[in-house]
Each structure stands twice: as C-alpha cells, then as structure tokens.
Amino acid sequence: MKVKEPSIVIRPLGRFGGLDNLHLMLIVLIALLIALLLVISYGKPILVLPSNNTTSTGNATAIHSASQIKAVAERVLASYATINSSLSLIPFISNVSGMQVSYLSGSGSWYVQVPARNFANNVAFSLSFVINDSDTSKVTPLLETVLPSSISNNSVVSAGVVSLFGRYECQSASPVNVYWFVDPYAAGGVSSLLNASEIDRIYGSNVNLTLKIIVGSDTERIGSQVGLFDALYLSKYALCASQQSNFSAFASGLNSAYSGAYLSQNDLASIAAQAGLNSTQLTSCINASSSAINTQALLAQYYNITYNPVAVVDCHYLALPQTARSALCYADNSLC
C-alpha cells in the first residue's frame, strides 16, 4: 500500500546553523559601513541626544521614547527570520540586552545599534538602523543590504530567542515543553539531534522535549532518488528513537555514520542495535509513525516554521538548536 506523506517545503539551515555564509556578508557590510561613515563625515552635523524615555532639548522633541523605539527594533530584528538568506539568522545572533538607541534631532530619527555575535567563529559585530520618529514603520538598515518586506509582530526578547506573537505559553508550566522541528536530511538536521539529546541529559524531567518531524525539501530530494517511502526511514527512526532512553546513543551513532547521503533501513537498523534500542518498541513505533508525522506537519504550519532545525520552547519562544538553552532559561529562569 502506498503511503501518502505530508509535503511541506522548509528551508534548511546550513552547517553550524548556516552562519558560515556570514563571513562574506560581513566583508560587504564593513565596506558599506565605511562608505556610510564617509557620507556622514562630509554631511552636516547631527545632534545626537541621550536615549532617555522623554527626549527633548531646545526645539527638538522626540515623539517616541527610547523604550518604544527598542520595542520597534526588536520586531525589526525578528522580521529577518522571513528572509530567504543567511540574514534569517540575525534574530538569533542579536544581543538585544546590549541595544543602544540615540535620538538624531537634526533628522527627526532614532539611531539604533545592536551587538551581535557569530557563534560559529565567535566574531562580534554590530547591526544598525535608523528609525523615523514620526513614522516608526520607516526603518533604514545601515549595515544590512536588505530590509524585510514587512515588519512582523514577533520580537527578539533575548539573545537567540524570538517571542512568537499570538502564541502563548503551554498550559502546563512544568515540565517546560520543547518542540524540536527537524528534517533529518536537512543541513544540520542530524547534528541537531545531539543538541536535543544534550538538553534531555542536562534538564532531565524538568524539560519535556519531543521531536517533530518535517518532511521538507531535503527528504523530498532524497526521495526523488530512492523513493519517498525509503527516504522517510531516517525520519521514522529518529522520531521513534527519541522516545527511548537510549536516544543519546542513537543520536551519537547516527551523527558518526551520516555523511549527508541516503541512509538505508539496514544502516539505520544497525545504528539502532548498536545504540541498544528496544527493537520491538522501535518496530511498533515505526509502523505507526505515519500518522504522527502527519500531525507534526500541521504543528509546523501552525508555528509557521520556514527553516529547520529549530526549536519552539514553552509553545511560544523560537530558537535555534544552539540557542535553545537560552530560550529555556528565558522561559523558566529556575532552570539556569
């Protein structure tokens, strides 16, 4: 019987969370910054006022407060997640706690500077915007080459953590729920399972982490070569292994064996046996997994997951595998 699996196109993150692409981007951005500084140095002087909540001096009075402008900037940063490029990582590498805002009285605008860090190579840099005081929807990025087509209602609330607008914390406060969305054939998908098993190990019963499989473009690409039914075995084994206590051993073995190419059912069965998984429980789960994967596809659509791997913490905080622990700390500071 041919099983119809859900198809949902999800943009994968690259290796190290896709951050390798930022090297070239940073070179371009530095050049843009130099050009900007030259323009400013030859332009008329701009009076920069302190970022108080009530900003005024002489005849210059800001309509918005510094805290209101910071809230706008947090939404602008979160909106980069919608861009189909490495810029989509900006929400997760920005440190909003270090954000600085200053009122530019000469132009009636606010200058916003946000520190960021590439956690693949630990390189620090800054993101800068000019936000119009009278119309805060007018945002000019000074270092980025493109602005999101629209500003979302999501907002960056902490380093590596995005609060999803209209999505609320889970009904049960404890343990904290973590939905781990992944297409295992996506770049970084298999290695993210190590992050997931590490969270399980560190937090134990305080966290309820569940793997949510996405049948994305990468699994479909493998499916075009070997057939979707066979391509789905990697997802099914990962899903069912995550429900057993030896998941960390399976994730480690899978990560060692995976080279970015198709893994057959025999390969996966061998990895599962070496990890000490219960074969009866595993087989039963795999045979019934299609229904669970269908449900998980609907959950991915509900959270508008556009790239993977990615985690949703406490039902309304979005994070990368590398920043999932930060989201856990933000959701429940007793965990940290």
Side-chain angles (χ1 to χ4, degrees), residues 145-308:
T145 57
V146 64
L147 188 72
S149 57
S150 62
I151 306 303
S152 75
N153 287 319
N154 297 338
S155 61
V156 177
V157 293
S158 183
V161 185
V162 174
S163 178
L164 299 174
F165 179 78
R167 304 292 180 256
Y168 307 99
E169 62 260 15
C170 302
Q171 291 183 352
S172 175
S174 182
V176 179
N177 281 289
V178 178
Y179 302 146
W180 202 272
F181 292 96
V182 61
D183 177 345
Y185 276 116
V190 166
S191 61
S192 81
L193 300 180
L194 295 176
N195 299 89
S197 64
E198 181 71 358
I199 287 175
D200 260 344
R201 183 189 68 81
I202 292 173
Y203 297 103
S205 60
N206 292 316
V207 168
N208 178 29
L209 188 148
T210 54
L211 209 62
K212 305 297 182 183
I213 295 299
I214 293 172
V215 182
S217 58
D218 291 278
T219 288
E220 290 178 346
R221 172 178 52 81
I222 298 296
S224 68
Q225 302 167 8
V226 302
L228 185 59
F229 185 84
D230 287 336
L232 279 170
Y233 271 115
L234 176 56
S235 293
K236 292 179 177 181
Y237 267 84
L239 173 65
C240 294
S242 71
Q243 299 172 16
Q244 295 196 29
S245 59
N246 287 350
F247 174 56
S248 60
F250 175 83
S252 179
L254 182 62
N255 190 65
S256 297
Y258 184 65
S259 62
Y262 167 67
L263 283 175
S264 69
Q265 185 179 8
N266 288 337
D267 294 330
L268 294 165
S270 176
I271 296 170
Q274 291 175 10
L277 296 184
N278 182 306
S279 59
T280 301
Q281 181 182 342
L282 182 66
T283 300
S284 177
C285 175
I286 289 173
N287 291 338
S289 60
S290 295
S291 176
I293 291 175
N294 284 332
T295 302
Q296 291 166 8
L298 295 175
L299 188 65
Q301 291 176 345
Y302 173 75
Y303 282 110
N304 192 29
I305 302 300
T306 57
Y307 47 82
N308 81 94

Side-chain angles (χ1 to χ4, degrees), residues 28-49:
V28 175
L29 299 185
I30 290 171
L32 289 174
L33 177 58
I34 293 173
L36 174 67
L37 292 175
L38 289 173
V39 170
I40 293 175
S41 65
Y42 287 100
K44 68 177 184 178
I46 298 177
L47 178 61
V48 180
L49 304 180

